[in-house]
Amino acid sequence: MEKFRKNFTFIGKIKSFKQVENELIFEASHKFIKIIILSNKMFRIRMGDSENFAFDFSYSIIKTKWEKIPIKVKETDIAIIIQTQELKIIVEKSPYRLIVKNNDDQIIWEDINSSAIGWKDNEIIYIKKMPEDEHYYGFGEKTGGLDKRGYSYRMHTKESPFYQTKTDPLYQAHPYFIGLRKNNAYGVFFDNTWETFFDMGKGFKDFYIIGAKNGELNLYFFYGPTIKEVIEQYTELIGRIMLPPIWSLGFVQCRWGYKDAKKVNEIASKLRENKISSDMLVLDLDYMKGKRVFTWNDETFPDPENWTKIMNEKGFKLITIIDPGVKVEDGYYMHDEGVKNDYFVKKTDDGFWHGYVWPGKTYFPDYTKEEVRKWWGEKVEFLLNKGISGIWNDMNEISYNIQPYLHRVKTKNTIFYDNGLNTSYEKNHNVYGLLMAKATHEGLLKCQPNKRPWILTRSGFPGIHRYAAVWTGDNTSNWQHMKMSIPMLCNMGLSAIPNVGADIGGFSPWINCLRKLVMRLDKNFATRWHQLGAFYPFARNHCVIFARPQEPWEFGEEALEIIKKYILLRYHWIPYLYNLFVECSKNGLPPMRPLILEFQDDEICYNIDDQFMWGEHILVAPVIKKNLKLHKIYLPEGIWFDYWSGERHHGKIIKSLPVDWHEIPILIRAGAIIPCQPDMEYFREKEINPLILEVYPDFNLESEYTFQEDDGESLEYLREKICTTQYILSCKNGDIEFIIGARKGQFKPNTRDYLILFKFIGTVKNIELDGTSLEKASDENLNKWYLDERTNDIIIKIQDTGEKRIIKINK
Ligand code: GLC
């Protein structure tokens, strides 16, 4: 460590400090530190050269005004102690050293014993103690396992074709992580757009290092103690998602190389013929004229207005890719407008900076200029007028040289506008994807003020979730990538990127081709990835132009049936998934969750990264190994029901469950109330009638669930056009009471019945609805109940009157 520290200058002692309301400024030997108390559990640290700190600006942060909370500040000989209701922030004077404790006097975050903050030229480092039982999560889109202890990462958005299981960095940059120790979680966000780096025990055993190549030391600290509270605070700071249009939760089919409308029609027909539920078809580069952004190839995709209308009627939304690079070509309107108005990223000497992307030589819009974002945003109208429903932003890290063997593009002499500061590529590229998404999002909103914009992006920085869903770029068709997608997506969820997916089936066959040609022909592999992918928040099958076709029907009848079954299960549970997004829009919690998020006090869950939760109730244990016969899974505390067999398990146990390739284990936590819809091939194929509730009672438990509904597509939900129904389940010694609360709110769902499935409960003595005994029937009948002998479910059909109903089941 001393060798590493040698080249740095460190902050030294505190000479004086002053307090202005909730801000404390410390003058140290060489620098100034400002600690700003934002809430009882959140504070910010900045470092500057003088009392006047740098211009305060953030692309990520939404909430800048915080209600002043009362704090106590006390000075002793050795330290200044700031006390909030939840934290004691101790700033030792000689040298400056920060220690954060909770009310139980437990140390949560602590600088090393000597000076911890150092710098060398423009580089800054901050060295923290790393207790041996502390674990780390977050960091956005990264390769590796769930627990990031022992890893080091660079936050530098980078195009990463053919990335592998150790590649770093990738497309997104999220300088944010969560620390967890003794059930106390904290979060740290380093709000700096330059390349930042985090060494979480790879370089040193007892310390971790947060650093940046340049820019300000500007950190936000959040205390949990739960991970959920950390995420809630982080997303209070950087904002939360807008609800996605409900159709975007459906299955998505895509491929680079659907070369014309005829091919897309063929894919659409096959999806419908095979009864594969799906809602979105995504057009890759092929629909453009010579890969020029905001153009349309009328020869290969003729009469787009009519074509998209027909597709919409069949239940397919069309999404188009756009890349930021604008072809350098006189006469091409995007080029000419951009050049005339000075909209492109410049070079320090003269003219615009150029790179080489799909259309050849390209200029890049400078989205750090508001005017450019507005211009770009207006261009989406071109696609909307053709009937396009959403936009896919690609190559936005920025990818500037796809032919490195032909060109030597450098970024050294580039200038971005950056709020008039005219700064370098290095300072701005991390936010390029974020700002492109912002421009696209604002453009979509401007053209369609009452429609939820839908965008998919490859690159991003904290705040990207406000505008776009994210997929993990060009992954590979192998088991390692399939497996890695779980911790990757889970950590993205913990990093406030909740709407995420990896290309189902894998994007690129390249590496496998070198090693083992048969890899992509494996029907077992394709099936397994679809079984897993059906539970990605964003579920898209996509691959590269030179891959063999990998649509669900490409692997034989049996595989197709299995894939269909899982996609259909996703559709069945979409009201539940949608409500996970509703929850996410309120508290930032992701739909796809690592077990640790739900079972933080269970150390076994700290690094389980081959299982995950859908919300609080559904545990998914995908099969990510070839020819697996017995699947070892961990069930945390609680009672769990095997979704397929109804078998009841006591948690806190490792179970070995037999699996054949038709199934992956799915376990439901007792007490779950899961709203479901009838089978559909696409949204709005029919009305939701009946509304199905899967209820999972047990001997003694109480649980409740609030179900929100809205129109699923407009922004009226922001104007209170929603309705909510609360369901309460109470079980005492096996007897069950289930209350459907009176529906509240302005949104009116269609007339419908409820089909309530009390799962796996078997024979019962008597069932009452609102005090009157219900008759038993031999199948689904209004105001009657029946026992499905195959599943042991008690099924009751009643009218959804919107009023309170009480069902009592006597065992
Ligand atoms: C990039 C994207 C990929 C896309 C391709 C062509 O490689 O990551 O998804 O298909 O470009 O547009």
Side-chain angles (χ1 to χ4, degrees):
M1 172 50 80
E2 281 323 305
K3 209 167 133 208
F4 168 77
R5 284 168 59 94
K6 217 173 78 194
N7 301 321
F8 288 87
T9 308
F10 283 87
I11 187 152
K13 298 177 182 172
I14 293 178
K15 295 201 281 193
S16 66
F17 87 98
K18 71 176 184 197
Q19 180 187 357
V20 182
E21 299 186 329
N22 283 12
E23 296 190 0
L24 284 97
I25 298 181
F26 301 90
E27 184 182 355
S29 314
H30 303 284
K31 296 269 183 189
F32 286 76
I33 294 278
K34 192 195 273 199
I35 295 186
I36 308 160
I37 309 296
L38 300 172
S39 77
N40 282 315
K41 295 205 237 179
M42 190 193 303
F43 65 88
R44 177 182 178 192
I45 311 176
R46 299 184 70 187
M47 182 166 79
D49 289 327
S50 76
E51 265 183 63
N52 303 318
F53 282 75
F55 170 59
D56 194 13
F57 178 77
S58 169
Y59 286 114
S60 302
I61 285 169
I62 286 288
K63 181 163 172 173
T64 50
K65 300 233 170 334
W66 295 81
E67 207 182 300
K68 296 256 162 333
I69 49 132
I71 58 168
K72 280 190 202 130
V73 178
K74 192 171 92 188
E75 186 174 7
T76 68
D77 288 347
I78 53 164
I80 293 116
I81 300 155
I82 312 162
Q83 179 91 51
T84 73
Q85 267 171 32
E86 302 270 350
L87 295 178
K88 194 191 260 185
I89 303 158
I90 303 162
V91 182
E92 288 182 359
K93 293 180 185 170
S94 187
Y96 167 91
R97 195 171 93 86
L98 185 83
I99 304 152
V100 181
K101 292 184 174 178
N102 66 6
N103 278 340
D104 298 329
D105 219 35
Q106 286 170 305
I107 295 180
I108 307 298
W109 203 44
E110 187 181 10
D111 291 0
I112 50 164
N113 287 341
S114 25
S115 247
I117 303 178
W119 58 92
K120 178 177 66 182
D121 305 324
N122 292 321
E123 189 172 325
I124 21 172
I125 52 163
Y126 194 177
I127 313 170
K128 308 296 282 185
K129 281 195 183 173
M130 188 175 70
E132 60 181 10
D133 52 350
E134 192 158 279
H135 302 265
Y136 304 102
Y137 306 94
F139 298 108
E141 175 200 59
K142 290 291 174 196
T143 53
L146 184 72
D147 181 355
K148 298 302 188 190
R149 191 181 172 101
Y151 288 88
S152 77
Y153 291 111
R154 288 166 62 202
M155 302 302 160
H156 173 97
T157 56
K158 188 165 177 289
E159 166 161 50
S160 312
F162 317 119
Y163 70 86
Q164 291 307 310
T165 50
K166 289 188 177 151
T167 307
D168 181 66
L170 299 182
Y171 311 89
Q172 300 253 331
H174 290 262
Y176 159 84
F177 70 93
I178 296 165
L180 175 67
R181 180 180 175 235
K182 296 199 192 307
N183 217 357
N184 278 306
Y186 65 88
V188 175
F189 170 41
F190 191 175
D191 191 9
N192 180 335
T193 67
W194 291 83
E195 178 174 324
T196 50
F197 48 88
F198 296 80
D199 187 327
M200 310 310 286
K202 190 170 182 199
F204 303 97
K205 207 167 98 295
D206 305 319
F207 315 104
Y208 68 79
I209 301 166
I210 303 173
K213 285 274 171 72
N214 205 325
E216 194 186 271
L217 182 90
N218 178 23
L219 297 170
Y220 289 81
F221 174 90
F222 323 91
Y223 175 55
T226 63
I227 300 177
K228 288 188 175 178
E229 286 163 293
V230 171
I231 299 173
E232 221 171 316
Q233 292 174 82
Y234 182 41
T235 52
E236 185 180 359
L237 185 73
I238 66 166
R240 302 213 168 104
I241 57 160
M242 198 173 246
L243 280 182
I246 194 144
W247 46 261
S248 69
L249 305 185
F251 178 67
V252 188
Q253 185 59 53
C254 181
R255 181 199 167 89
W256 178 10
Y258 288 156
K259 65 177 188 350
D260 50 26
K262 209 170 135 239
K263 182 72 196 173
V264 179
N265 291 340
E266 184 193 314
I267 297 293
S269 306
K270 282 209 170 140
L271 284 163
R272 291 290 176 255
E273 270 161 32
N274 286 307
K275 301 211 169 307
I276 303 166
S277 301
S278 50
D279 271 80
M280 263 203 259
L281 290 168
V282 184
L283 307 183
D284 207 318
L285 301 170
D286 316 82
Y287 79 92
M288 293 185 232
K289 239 190 231 155
K291 305 186 174 93
R292 291 172 191 84
V293 65
F294 297 122
T295 65
W296 191 275
N297 190 332
D298 288 299
E299 277 167 33
T300 46
F301 288 83
D303 196 4
E305 293 79 5
N306 192 36
W307 178 60
T308 52
K309 199 166 151 257
I310 295 170
M311 288 301 234
N312 286 176
E313 281 161 11
K314 291 182 182 159
F316 290 110
K317 305 282 183 203
L318 288 157
I319 311 297
T320 42
I321 196 169
I322 56 171
D323 292 344
V326 171
K327 187 176 173 72
V328 178
E329 180 183 60
D330 286 336
Y332 163 38
Y333 78 110
M334 287 299 292
H335 166 267
D336 293 352
E337 285 177 27
V339 168
K340 185 169 141 234
N341 298 310
D342 211 13
Y343 284 163
F344 297 123
V345 174
K346 293 200 195 127
K347 285 200 302 208
T348 34
D349 34 14
D350 187 26
F352 300 115
W353 174 61
H354 70 264
Y356 294 86
V357 203
W358 304 122
K361 186 172 170 183
T362 43
Y363 290 151
F364 301 95
D366 184 354
Y367 301 118
T368 64
K369 239 187 206 171
E370 197 178 336
E371 202 186 329
V372 177
R373 292 202 296 271
K374 202 166 150 263
W375 170 65
W376 191 264
E378 278 161 7
K379 297 300 174 209
V380 304
E381 196 169 11
F382 170 82
L383 294 170
L384 292 179
N385 288 343
K386 308 249 179 251
I388 291 308
S389 302
I391 306 245
W392 169 19
N393 286 355
D394 194 18
M395 311 296 271
N396 47 0
E397 295 74 31
I398 316 168
S399 162
Y400 52 80
N401 195 359
I402 56 160
Q403 297 163 315
Y405 42 90
L406 286 182
H407 308 282
R408 291 192 60 213
V409 180
K410 292 199 175 135
T411 56
K412 239 188 183 165
N413 300 321
T414 53
I415 314 183
F416 285 68
Y417 174 71
D418 185 20
N419 288 304
L421 299 171
N422 294 318
T423 56
S424 65
Y425 178 87
E426 280 66 31
K427 181 172 176 205
N428 294 284
H429 74 94
N430 273 347
V431 290
Y432 197 77
L434 172 71
L435 296 178
M436 183 186 180
K438 181 174 160 73
T440 319
H441 173 92
E442 285 166 359
L444 286 170
L445 269 181
K446 196 166 164 202
C447 299
Q448 307 178 327
N450 201 22
K451 266 200 182 165
R452 301 177 194 176
W454 194 81
I455 300 168
L456 177 67
T457 182
R458 196 168 72 173
S459 189
F461 191 73
I464 190 65
H465 62 298
R466 301 192 300 255
Y467 313 119
V470 174
W471 98 106
T472 58
D474 299 350
N475 60 355
T476 301
S477 299
N478 64 26
W479 291 92
Q480 289 98 302
H481 272 255
M482 189 197 301
K483 177 175 192 298
M484 186 170 72
S485 72
I486 304 171
M488 208 165 173
L489 299 178
C490 283
N491 270 317
M492 289 168 85
L494 298 178
S495 312
I497 324 165
N499 198 355
V500 286
D503 284 346
I504 299 173
F507 177 76
S508 160
W510 188 251
I511 298 294
N512 297 317
C513 282
L514 287 178
R515 285 210 209 125
K516 206 173 172 192
L517 265 160
V518 291
M519 183 74 222
R520 288 187 56 79
L521 308 181
D522 189 333
K523 60 182 181 181
N524 181 277
F525 170 77
T527 311
R528 290 304 191 199
W529 206 325
H530 280 87
Q531 288 171 326
L532 160 61
F535 294 95
Y536 291 159
F538 171 63
R540 178 179 75 156
N541 175 330
H542 175 50
C543 65
V544 69
I545 191 162
F546 52 83
R548 65 154 275 176
Q550 67 181 31
E551 291 83 12
W553 51 84
E554 291 290 341
F555 303 92
E557 271 300 309
E558 205 180 352
L560 174 62
E561 285 313 309
I562 303 170
I563 292 172
K564 269 165 62 174
K565 173 170 147 185
Y566 278 81
I567 294 176
L568 198 59
L569 179 59
R570 177 186 178 89
Y571 272 73
H572 180 67
W573 277 337
I574 274 195
Y576 176 77
L577 176 62
Y578 183 70
N579 268 262
L580 289 175
F581 277 101
V582 169
E583 187 191 351
C584 182
S585 72
K586 294 177 182 161
N587 61 14
L589 296 184
M592 180 176 175
R593 305 178 180 175
L595 266 57
I596 183 73
L597 188 60
E598 289 302 325
F599 305 95
Q600 182 177 316
D601 53 1
D602 182 349
E603 293 208 3
I604 299 175
C605 296
Y606 279 19
N607 203 14
I608 292 188
D609 56 9
D610 55 357
Q611 300 171 207
F612 59 91
M613 303 287 298
W614 246 26
E616 286 175 35
H617 303 110
I618 301 178
L619 186 151
V620 184
V623 175
I624 44 179
K625 270 192 206 121
K626 206 175 173 172
N627 301 329
L628 192 79
K629 298 274 179 313
L630 260 191
H631 196 5
K632 250 197 198 163
I633 65 171
Y634 179 65
L635 296 179
E637 182 123 53
I639 300 292
W640 298 89
F641 292 101
D642 185 315
Y643 180 69
W644 305 113
S645 68
E647 197 182 335
R648 182 174 176 275
H649 302 281
H650 274 276
K652 251 195 161 333
I653 195 170
I654 297 173
K655 279 262 159 201
S656 287
L657 301 177
V659 278
D660 65 13
W661 72 299
H662 293 246
E663 265 165 32
I664 57 168
I666 296 176
L667 289 116
I668 314 285
R669 211 166 165 180
I673 301 163
I674 304 177
C676 320
Q677 64 178 16
D679 292 354
M680 283 192 206
E681 280 183 34
Y682 55 92
F683 287 99
R684 314 261 181 276
E685 185 201 358
K686 45 190 168 206
E687 291 188 323
I688 298 186
N689 188 15
L691 173 65
I692 304 163
L693 297 179
E694 285 178 0
V695 183
Y696 292 80
D698 201 38
F699 293 108
N700 287 301
L701 60 78
E702 307 236 318
S703 71
E704 53 177 78
Y705 180 82
T706 303
F707 178 48
Q708 178 172 316
E709 294 171 276
D710 54 44
D711 66 29
E713 282 187 275
S714 81
L715 292 172
E716 293 299 319
Y717 78 95
L718 296 172
R719 293 178 276 275
E720 306 284 309
K721 267 263 161 70
I722 57 165
C723 65
T724 56
T725 312
Q726 197 188 24
Y727 305 115
I728 303 174
L729 171 69
S730 333
C731 311
K732 273 195 197 87
N733 304 322
D735 287 343
I736 299 164
E737 184 182 75
F738 186 67
I739 303 178
I740 300 176
R743 191 162 45 237
K744 293 187 189 138
Q746 295 175 25
F747 179 74
K748 293 237 165 338
N750 53 283
T751 314
R752 65 190 176 194
D753 296 327
Y754 267 118
L755 193 69
I756 309 168
L757 277 62
F758 291 93
K759 297 293 293 176
F760 314 129
I761 62 174
T763 32
V764 297
K765 282 195 201 122
N766 181 39
I767 299 187
E768 278 179 11
L769 171 68
D770 300 330
T772 313
S773 261
L774 288 185
E775 221 179 281
K776 188 176 177 191
S778 51
D779 58 12
E780 240 176 80
N781 249 300
L782 197 61
N783 293 331
K784 294 194 177 151
W785 66 271
Y786 83 100
L787 169 67
D788 180 335
E789 286 181 358
R790 197 180 45 89
T791 58
N792 259 337
D793 298 345
I794 294 288
I795 302 176
I796 303 175
K797 192 173 189 180
I798 58 170
Q799 230 177 354
D800 176 9
T801 55
E803 303 296 320
K804 181 175 173 184
R805 316 291 313 256
I806 304 180
I807 296 170
K808 284 191 177 157
I809 301 179
N810 210 241
K811 283 276 294 173

